[in-house]
Amino acid sequence: MPLIRANLKYRHLFGEQVRKDQQFENVPISRNAHDGQFVAVNSEFLAVSCESSGGGSFLILPIDKPGRLSPLNLHKICGHSSAIIDLAWNPFDDRVLATASEDGYVKLWRVADPSEVSPAAELEHNRRLLYTAWHPAAADVLLTASYDCEVAVWADCRLCSTIGHPDHINSIAWSPDGRLLASTCKDRLARVMDPRSGCTVAKWTCHTGAKISKILFSDDCRLLTTGFSEYSQRQYALWDLNKTSRALHSDEVDSSSGVLLPYYDPDCSLLYLAGRGDGNIRFYEISRGRLHFLNQFSTHSPQKCIAQLPKRALDRSLCEVGRLYRLHVASNVVEPVRVIAPRRGHHVSDIYPPAAAPIPALGADQWLAGANRDPVRVSLSTGEIINPPLPPPQKPQSPPQAPQAQSSSSNGGDPTHQLTPGTLRNIQHLVQAASPPRPTLNSETAASTPADPAAAAPDTAATAAPAGTSCGPEKFSRLLEKFQHLDSPSTVAIEGGAAKDVELSSLRKELAFRDMRLMRLEKELQSKESELVYLRTLLRRYGDSRSSQC
C-alpha cells in the first residue's frame, strides 16, 4: 500500500459499526448470485431485493425505523416474474425507484409509503437485465444494460439509443456531467462512449484477468477500474482518458476470489472498495493522480454489496462523511456503517464540501439536444445553491388579459402549486440543510452529548442574516420560483423561435437513430467478412490436405 501523505484531508478516517438495535434484522435478502446492486438507499427509504418463490419482489424500509422485522408484517412488492438483480433510486425524486429484473423489464415505481407502492412505467429489453443507472445531472434519463450485449439509453421512458458490445457486459457508469458513459466487457476491454451518438471515444485493456471487472468515473477525464490480474490477484487501476496506454496508478489488493466492488464519493474524493463475499471495506482518498490507503473496516460476516446514503441525510454532529449499508446474506441483516472523519469545533465544516443537490441541472429534452452541465451542488452548511440549473427555453410573452390573469391566479398561478410533490420535497431538503443536523441512527448518543455553541451558530445566523444569505421564507419562495420549470417541462407551450429549437432537436434525434442503424449495418458487414475469411481459411486447409494426400 502507498504511504499516507501528511496533507490528506481524511487521513484519520475510520468505520464505526452501529449497535444491534440500529440494524435491520430478519430481512429476506435475495440469494441470487449476480453481482448487481441488491440494495439502494436515499434520504428516506431503503430498498432491498428479496428472496421469493413466485418471482421478483423487493421491500421498502424507512431508514429511521430499524429493528427486527416480523414475517407477518412484511410488505413485499411483487411486480416481476423473475428475480430483481439491480435497484436504483432517482437522484432527483426520493419517491421514484427503478428495478431491473431477469424477466427483461425495468420498472419504475412511485413510492407513497412503504406499504403503498404503485408502478409508474415499464421499459422492455429483449433479454434479462444486468444493470441500471440514473443520469447524474439530467432529469428522467436512465441507462440500462442487458444480456443481449447492449446498453440502452432512455429519456422520459423513451428509447433514445442502443450501444452494442461484442460480449457480456460487466458494469456501466456515467461521467460526472453525463456527457460520456463507460463500460467493461467480458473481452477484458474498458470502453468510453458517447451515449447520444453511440460512438466509441476510447477503449483499452484494463485488467488481464478473466474474471469480472468494474469501472467508474472519478472526474471528467479520469476513470477507476477494479479487476483481476493474470494470476487472479485482485487489483485496481486509475486511468487518464486522454492517455490509456498506461495506468496512472495501479496496485494489487489481495488474492481473494470475490469481485471487488468500487463505490465513489465525488464530493470528498473518497473511494470505498468492498469485497463481495468477504467482510472488508477499504477506504482510499484520490489525490494527485494516486490512490492513498486510509483505513479498513473488517467484520467476520460476508457482505453481498453495499449502498451509499446521500450526503444531505448524514449526521454532521458526529462528523459523519458517509454511511454505508451492508447486506449480510447469511444472517439476513442490513447493517449501517458510519464513516467518520474526526474533527473538533470549527474544523467540522472542512470535511463537508458542497454536495450534489436533489435538483436536476437540465431536462431530458435539453440533454438529448446536446446540452451538458455539471450536477447542481448545494452548501451543506447554508443550503445555498452553488451552480444553478440550466433554465428551460422561454416562451414569448403575450399581452396580459384581466380575465385570464384571474383564472390563472385561482387555478394555481402561485409557484408553490406548479411544482410536483417530489420537487417540492427536494427543495425543502435544501432549506433543511441549513438547520443543525438531526441524528437518525444513534439518537441516544447525540442527546447525551453537550450542545456545542458553534454547531448552533448556523441556526441563529439563518434567522438574523439578510435575504440571499440564509434559507428563510424569502429565499425558499425564490427557490420555488427558480425551479418551477422542473414540474413538467413537456407541458410548456412552445411558440415562435422555440419551435425551431424543437425541430432542430428532432432532426438531431433522427440523425442519431440513422447513425445507430449505420453502425448496426457495419457490424453485420464485419461479421459477414469474418465468416468469408473463415470459409476461405477452411477451403485453403482442405486444399492443402488434398495436395498432401496426393
Side-chain angles (χ1 to χ4, degrees), residues 429-446:
H429 284 162
L430 298 181
V431 179
Q432 294 173 0
S435 61
R438 182 165 53 98
T440 56
L441 283 178
N442 196 354
S443 58
E444 297 179 0
T445 306

Side-chain angles (χ1 to χ4, degrees), residues 259-325:
V259 180
L260 204 58
L261 304 175
Y263 300 90
Y264 185 62
D265 181 359
D267 305 324
C268 303
S269 299
L270 293 176
L271 175 69
Y272 309 109
L273 294 184
R276 188 172 184 270
D278 58 55
N280 301 322
I281 302 178
R282 295 171 174 85
F283 305 147
Y284 295 84
E285 183 175 352
I286 300 179
S287 176
R288 298 181 180 179
R290 293 185 62 88
L291 272 73
H292 304 273
F293 178 75
L294 301 176
N295 208 337
Q296 178 174 325
F297 175 83
S298 300
T299 60
H300 298 289
S301 301
Q303 61 203 0
K304 189 178 184 70
C305 60
I306 64 176
Q308 291 180 264
L309 186 69
K311 284 293 186 64
R312 63 181 183 273
L314 296 178
D315 188 357
R316 298 194 301 277
S317 65
L318 301 178
C319 298
E320 189 180 33
V321 297
R323 191 184 302 169
L324 311 176
Y325 286 79

Side-chain angles (χ1 to χ4, degrees), residues 496-526:
K500 295 182 180 180
D501 296 337
V502 175
E503 183 179 359
L504 181 60
S505 176
S506 62
L507 291 176
R508 287 178 176 173
K509 291 181 184 178
E510 184 179 357
L511 180 60
F513 283 122
R514 292 191 178 185
D515 291 341
M516 180 177 60
R517 185 179 179 184
L518 180 60
M519 292 178 61
R520 290 183 177 178
L521 292 176
E522 290 178 353
K523 290 180 182 178
E524 293 179 2
L525 180 60
Q526 292 176 1

Side-chain angles (χ1 to χ4, degrees), residues 225-492:
T225 60
T226 61
F228 292 82
S229 66
E230 188 177 358
Y231 302 100
S232 298
Q233 296 281 333
R234 293 198 298 189
Q235 58 182 197
Y236 62 81
L238 188 65
W239 305 87
D240 188 349
L241 182 58
N242 300 320
K243 187 179 180 182
T244 58
S245 59
R246 185 178 179 181
L248 295 175
H249 180 215
S250 62
D251 197 3
E252 293 183 351
V253 179
D254 54 24
S255 58
S256 180
S257 60
V259 180
L260 204 58
L261 304 175
Y263 300 90
Y264 185 62
D265 181 359
D267 305 324
C268 303
S269 299
L270 293 176
L271 175 69
Y272 309 109
L273 294 184
R276 188 172 184 270
D278 58 55
N280 301 322
I281 302 178
R282 295 171 174 85
F283 305 147
Y284 295 84
E285 183 175 352
I286 300 179
S287 176
R288 298 181 180 179
R290 293 185 62 88
L291 272 73
H292 304 273
F293 178 75
L294 301 176
N295 208 337
Q296 178 174 325
F297 175 83
S298 300
T299 60
H300 298 289
S301 301
Q303 61 203 0
K304 189 178 184 70
C305 60
I306 64 176
Q308 291 180 264
L309 186 69
K311 284 293 186 64
R312 63 181 183 273
L314 296 178
D315 188 357
R316 298 194 301 277
S317 65
L318 301 178
C319 298
E320 189 180 33
V321 297
R323 191 184 302 169
L324 311 176
Y325 286 79
R326 305 172 65 238
L327 287 188
H328 300 280
V329 182
S331 54
N332 286 335
V333 172
V334 181
E335 176 194 14
V337 176
R338 292 194 184 98
V339 182
I340 295 177
R343 291 292 190 276
R344 184 178 298 175
H346 62 278
H347 296 289
V348 174
S349 60
D350 180 56
I351 60 177
Y352 292 108
I359 297 174
L362 65 164
D365 295 335
Q366 294 173 315
W367 180 78
L368 287 176
N372 294 308
R373 199 171 181 87
D374 291 331
V376 178
R377 298 195 176 276
V378 60
S379 173
L380 296 179
S381 58
T382 63
E384 189 172 354
I385 299 296
I386 304 301
N387 52 330
L390 187 67
Q394 298 292 334
K395 64 178 181 179
Q397 297 181 357
S398 58
Q401 298 179 3
Q404 294 181 359
Q406 294 177 0
S407 61
S408 62
S409 61
S410 60
N411 295 330
D414 187 15
T416 57
H417 298 288
Q418 298 179 3
L419 288 170
T420 60
T423 306
L424 180 61
R425 192 184 308 107
N426 288 336
I427 296 177
Q428 289 174 347
H429 284 162
L430 298 181
V431 179
Q432 294 173 0
S435 61
R438 182 165 53 98
T440 56
L441 283 178
N442 196 354
S443 58
E444 297 179 0
T445 306
S448 60
T449 57
D452 189 5
D459 190 21
T460 307
T463 58
T469 60
S470 65
C471 283
E474 296 181 358
K475 184 170 184 179
F476 182 64
S477 62
R478 287 198 301 272
L479 284 174
L480 293 177
E481 296 176 358
K482 196 175 197 179
F483 303 117
Q484 72 177 49
H485 66 277
L486 299 178
D487 179 20
S488 55
S490 60
T491 59
V492 178

